Amino acid sequence: MNVNLQHWRLDVDAQGIATATLDKAGESANSLSAEVMREFSSLLDQLDVYPTKGLIIRSGKEAGFIAGADISEFSQLDTAEKGRALVERGWKLFNRLEAVKYPTLALVRGHCLGGGLELALACRYLLAVDESGTKMGLPEVMLGIFPGWGGMLRLPKRVGPAAALDMMLTGKTLDAKRAKKMGLADDCVPPRVMEMAARQLLVSGQSRRPLPFMQKLMNGPLKSVVANGARKQVAKKARPQHYPAPYAIIDLWQKHDGNALAAPEVVDRIISSPTARNLVRVFGLQERLKGFGKDSDFKARRVHVIGAGVMGGDIAAWCALRGMTVTLQDQTLERMSPALKRAHALFTKKLRDPLKARAAFDRLIPDPQGDGVPHADVIIEAIFENVEAKHALFRALEPRMKPGAVLATNTSSLKLEDLRTVLHRPERLVGIHFFNPVSMMPLVEVVEAEGADPAAVQAACAFVKQIDKLPLPVKSAPGFLVNAVLAPYMLAAMRAVDEGVSPETVDEAMLAFGMPMGPIELIDTVGLDIAMAAGKQLASGADAPKCLLQRVEKNLLGKKSGQGFYAWSEGKPQKGSAGSVPAGLAERLVKPLIDRTERLVAEGIIGDAELADAGVIFGTGFAPFTGGPLNYRKSV
Ligand code: NAI
C-alpha cells in the first residue's frame, strides 16, 4: 500500500490481515501527537480503499504500547478553540476506528495509558500480553483533565460504571490478568504466543462478553445513583475548587454519555483551569526527577541494609519488592522479626500473587553477621541516630566493601561531613534519605556532601531510580530540603495552637488550602518527640511551642502513644468540630514554609526553583494543584 508514514508502518500479510505498528519517530515511547493521529487517519483512509480481513494495532517500541496523548502539546492550548479541537480530534478519530467494517484488535504489551487505552477501547478486541510492564489505565485526572477521546464513553460499557469510574477518578491501572478478569481485555496471553493469539482472536468473530445485568442497569436507569455515590467518594479526597476534573468526569459520564463535546463549557473550564496547567507542570517536574541518574551506567543487583528498624526494615523490603537481592543486618534476629513481618504484608498486598510474594520474600535475607557486605552494590546504613555508633559501623564496613559499591546513610539530622571522618575514602559517602512510610513516599533525597565523589552521587541517583523512587539531589545542610521546609511550617501551626486556635481549626485551614493532611495531625503522626528533636535542630534557636513541651513532658507522643494533640483510636485521630477558620490563617501558616524554600534555592542547597517545587510536593504532599510552594507564591 502506498502510504508514506513517518510514525506508523502498515504491513499486510498473505491472508490479507493488516498490521499497523506505531513507532513514533525520534522517541523512546509512543505518544499520540497531532501528527501521529493525522497519520493514523490516513492509514484508515488507505484501509477504506483496499479491503482488509482485519487490522492489528501494535507498538514498535520496547517501552510499551502507547503512553498517552503528547503532553507537550497541552502547553500550547492557549485558547478555548484549541482545547476543543484537541478533544474533537481524538473523539472523532476513535469513533471512526470503532465504526470500521473489518475487525480490529489492539495488541497491548507494556504501558497502555490515557489516549492509548482510548484507542484500544475503540478496537473490537483488546489482547493483553501478560508481562510485568503491562498496565492499562486512564490517568488523565492526575493531569487535571478528563479522558475525552472516548474513554468516558467506552470504559464504563466495557467494565461497568463502578470499576470504570474508579479507574478514571483515581488514575489507577490494571495489569494484564486483572484487565482480563474485569473484562477490559478479551484475553491475556504470554509474549511468546501473542502474535498467533492476536491473529486468531482477530478473525474469530467472537463477541464480547456482555456486561452483567446489574452493571447494565448502573449504566442506564441507575446512573444517577452511581454518579452520586462517586461524587461522595471524590469529595472525601478532593475539593472541587482545587480539583475540578473528577467532578467533570462524573458529570460528563452521567449527563452526556462521556461525550465532552456535548458540554463545551466544561471542556473550556477544565482545560484552561490553573489546576490542569499546574498538574501538567508537576508531571514535567516528575519526569525531570526521573532523569537524574540516567547518565550513570551503575546498576544495583545486591543491596545490604544495616538497621532493621522503622526505616531500614522498610527500605530493605522495598528493594526486594523491586527485584533486588537484599541482605538485612541488625544486632540480633529478634530485632529483625518485626521488619520481616511488615515485608511479608507488603509483598502480599503489592504483588497479589502468592508465588511472586514468596519469591520477593526469598530475596530478602536476614543477615545478622553482615555476610552480604562484600557482595553488595549498595550499602545503606539506617541504625540509631548516633555519631559514635555510625562511626564504629563505617570503620568495620569500609575494608569489606566492593570497590565500586555505594556507601549511603539514611541519616535525617547528622552531618555527612562528620559521619565520614572515619573513612579512608570519605568522598564515597552519600546520603540516601528515605521518608516514612517508605512504601508510600515517592521521593528520596540524594545528599551530596562537600567534596563528594560525583560518580558516587550519580550512582546513588541511578539506584533510587532503579527502585522506582524519585531521586532529588540536595546539598548537605540541616534537614536537607523536605524536613527543613516542614519544620517552620509545623512550628507556625503549633504557635497558632499556643495562641488559642484549636488543633482542629489549624488542620482544617490547611486541608482547605489543599494539603493532604493537617500539620497538627502530621505532628501527631510523626511523633511529638521527633518533632521536638527536629525543631531543636531546624528552628534556628526559637523556643519550642508550649503546646508541644507540655505534651512531651507528659509523654503524650501522638499516634504511637495513643494521645498527642488528638486522642488516637484504631489508627485515626478523634477530632472535634473545626468551627470557622479565621481569614488568612492558612496563608500565615504556609508563609514560613515558602520563605524557607526560597532561601534554600538562594543558598544552592537545591538546584533551582522547579526542583524545589517538585521536592516539596513529592516529599510533603504540598497541594499539587498549586504547582508547588514557589509556583503558588508567583501565582498569588
Ligand atoms: P530505629 O530505632 O527504628 O531502628 C534502628 C535499628 O538499628 C534498630 O533495630 C537497632 O537494633 C539497629 N542497630 C543499631 N545499631 C546497630 C548496629 N551497630 N548494627 C546493626 N544494627 C544496629 O530507627 P529508625 O527510625 O529506623 O532510624 C534509622 C535511621 O534512619 C536514623 O539515622 C534516622 O535518622 C533515619 N531516618 C528516620 C526516619 C523516621 O521517620 N524514623 C525518616 C528518615 C530517616
Side-chain angles (χ1 to χ4, degrees), residues 423-478:
L423 295 172
H424 287 289
R425 283 187 49 213
E427 68 282 2
R428 80 186 308 187
L429 183 72
V430 293
I432 300 189
H433 185 235
F434 288 83
F435 296 93
N436 189 8
V438 173
S439 66
M440 310 264 287
M441 299 298 290
L443 192 81
V444 174
E445 290 172 321
V446 175
V447 188
E448 179 180 352
E450 186 72 38
D453 176 4
V457 178
Q458 280 281 326
C461 286
F463 162 69
V464 170
K465 186 171 171 331
Q466 214 187 325
I467 56 171
D468 293 329
K469 296 282 182 192
L470 300 171
L472 179 75
V474 291
K475 292 271 158 47
S476 167

Side-chain angles (χ1 to χ4, degrees), residues 306-313 315 329-332 335-336 368 381-386 389-390 392-393 409-414 432-437 483 526 530:
I306 307 153
V310 175
M311 294 305 290
I315 294 168
Q329 180 181 351
D330 204 305
Q331 289 152 333
T332 60
R335 291 229 180 203
M336 281 184 249
E381 169 280 307
I383 67 168
F384 300 138
E385 193 71 328
N386 173 294
K390 294 195 196 252
L393 179 69
T409 172
N410 186 45
T411 185
S412 288
S413 60
L414 302 174
I432 300 189
H433 185 235
F434 288 83
F435 296 93
N436 189 8
N483 289 342
V526 298
I530 307 249

Side-chain angles (χ1 to χ4, degrees), residues 223-234:
K223 248 186 172 177
S224 59
V225 179
V226 178
N228 288 338
R231 279 189 198 99
K232 277 203 195 107
Q233 285 301 318
V234 170

Side-chain angles (χ1 to χ4, degrees), residues 173-508:
T173 58
L174 302 179
D175 61 22
K177 283 208 177 77
R178 299 237 337 137
K180 176 172 181 200
K181 201 164 157 219
M182 293 182 58
L184 172 56
D186 297 275
D187 206 352
C188 153
V189 295
R192 70 196 143 75
V193 299
M194 63 181 192
E195 268 103 14
M196 198 180 61
R199 303 165 67 81
Q200 277 174 2
L201 182 58
L202 179 72
V203 296
S204 65
Q206 181 183 314
S207 53
R208 185 167 302 140
R209 191 176 75 176
L211 264 190
F213 180 64
M214 201 48 213
Q215 298 288 340
K216 272 198 192 136
L217 285 183
M218 285 160 72
N219 232 348
L222 296 182
K223 248 186 172 177
S224 59
V225 179
V226 178
N228 288 338
R231 279 189 198 99
K232 277 203 195 107
Q233 285 301 318
V234 170
K236 283 188 199 151
K237 294 203 185 125
R239 304 187 184 213
Q241 66 273 31
H242 300 151
Y243 296 99
Y247 296 90
I249 291 173
I250 300 171
D251 282 351
L252 290 170
W253 168 71
Q254 182 190 4
K255 297 176 193 151
H256 305 286
D257 211 11
N259 179 5
L261 297 174
E265 69 291 348
V266 178
V267 176
D268 299 350
R269 183 165 56 81
I270 295 296
I271 291 190
S272 66
S273 67
T275 295
R277 203 171 45 244
N278 288 334
L279 291 180
V280 168
R281 175 171 177 271
V282 172
F283 178 84
L285 299 182
Q286 184 176 351
E287 292 302 298
R288 197 173 155 205
L289 294 186
K290 284 184 190 164
F292 286 113
K294 231 183 191 163
D295 300 334
S296 165
D297 45 20
F298 181 83
K299 204 164 160 54
R301 284 188 186 79
R302 287 170 174 269
V303 181
H304 184 73
V305 180
I306 307 153
V310 175
M311 294 305 290
D314 287 7
I315 294 168
W318 184 262
C319 294
L321 179 73
R322 285 292 170 261
M324 303 198 180
T325 302
V326 184
T327 38
L328 176 60
Q329 180 181 351
D330 204 305
Q331 289 152 333
T332 60
L333 271 175
E334 291 75 62
R335 291 229 180 203
M336 281 184 249
S337 92
L340 297 176
K341 272 203 195 109
R342 292 200 306 277
H344 192 267
L346 177 78
F347 301 151
T348 310
K349 178 171 158 224
K350 292 268 180 191
L351 296 169
R352 280 195 257 109
D353 173 343
L355 282 177
K356 286 184 182 156
R358 180 75 244 173
F361 206 60
D362 288 345
R363 287 194 295 271
L364 177 58
I365 305 158
D367 179 17
Q369 306 301 329
D371 295 332
V373 172
H375 311 288
D377 305 305
V378 176
I379 296 187
I380 302 172
E381 169 280 307
I383 67 168
F384 300 138
E385 193 71 328
N386 173 294
V387 181
E388 286 75 36
K390 294 195 196 252
H391 274 171
L393 179 69
F394 287 153
R395 270 199 207 96
L397 272 179
E398 193 183 23
R400 300 180 59 221
M401 285 176 59
K402 277 207 294 204
V406 169
L407 177 60
T409 172
N410 186 45
T411 185
S412 288
S413 60
L414 302 174
K415 279 183 79 168
L416 266 70
E417 288 79 358
D418 295 339
L419 292 179
R420 66 185 183 178
T421 52
V422 297
L423 295 172
H424 287 289
R425 283 187 49 213
E427 68 282 2
R428 80 186 308 187
L429 183 72
V430 293
I432 300 189
H433 185 235
F434 288 83
F435 296 93
N436 189 8
V438 173
S439 66
M440 310 264 287
M441 299 298 290
L443 192 81
V444 174
E445 290 172 321
V446 175
V447 188
E448 179 180 352
E450 186 72 38
D453 176 4
V457 178
Q458 280 281 326
C461 286
F463 162 69
V464 170
K465 186 171 171 331
Q466 214 187 325
I467 56 171
D468 293 329
K469 296 282 182 192
L470 300 171
L472 179 75
V474 291
K475 292 271 158 47
S476 167
F480 315 125
L481 172 74
V482 171
N483 289 342
V485 307
L486 275 178
Y489 166 60
M490 289 179 164
L491 183 63
M494 289 186 286
R495 291 264 189 262
V497 174
D498 277 354
E499 288 163 18
V501 185
S502 76
E504 283 88 349
T505 309
V506 169
D507 279 351
E508 173 52 28

Side-chain angles (χ1 to χ4, degrees), residues 148-165:
W149 290 350
M152 293 182 290
L153 166 72
R154 296 189 181 96
L155 190 62
K157 296 200 168 127
R158 192 74 69 99
V159 301
L165 284 171

